[in-house]
Amino acid sequence: MKLPISWLAEYIDISDLSLEELADRITFAGIEIEDIETVGPCFDKIVAGLVKTCEPHPNSDHLHVCTVFDGEQDFQVVCGAPNCRAGLLTPFAHIGAKVPENGEVLKKGKLRGIESFGMLCSAAELCISADHSGIMELPADTKPGTPMEKLYGSSETVFQVEVTWNRSDCLSVLGIAREFSA
């Protein structure tokens, strides 16, 4: 059975426990934890960004040099998306962010002689949808700097629980919460 930690937290206070401590305590309560996995994309260091300016790249026909506001400061970003334009609200990944699509950690880059300090992301790069046609367009009322977790949720930690045949009372999140609390 899969047990999302956030669901368990709705019934009992587990805020002071690490994942390993929680898994150990559930196991000591007689419910075996077989595996711990993370489900869904991680949006760490990815926020809503406002494209303030979008100029053609001087050394390329398809690249743009943009100024992106992340709610606190401006960043220069080189982008190749065809729908990139001034005034667009889009996901902006800071240097050090891990791109959910491929797990790459972003570094400061240089594209055809122009430095880029982040990345404007498509929905496919964020594992939100399969749309790779251009950068993702966020709703117009989105505030620059809003973390993507607030807009699309964050990754979830899930326990794979082995429930034995004689413990049918633990075949639900509520049942495991009761057993854990006891």
Side-chain angles (χ1 to χ4, degrees), residues 80-84 90 120-125 131-137:
N83 64 332
C84 188
T90 187
L120 302 179
C121 304
S122 72
E125 290 164 333
D131 184 11
H132 220 310
S133 61
I135 54 177
M136 187 174 170
E137 298 189 23

Side-chain angles (χ1 to χ4, degrees), residues 18 25 36 46 66 75 81 92 97-98 101 105 128 134 139 146 157:
S18 70
R25 289 186 60 188
I36 301 172
I46 304 175
C66 306
F75 293 89
F92 170 63
K98 187 183 279 189
E101 180 183 44
V105 177
I128 293 173
T146 303
T157 302

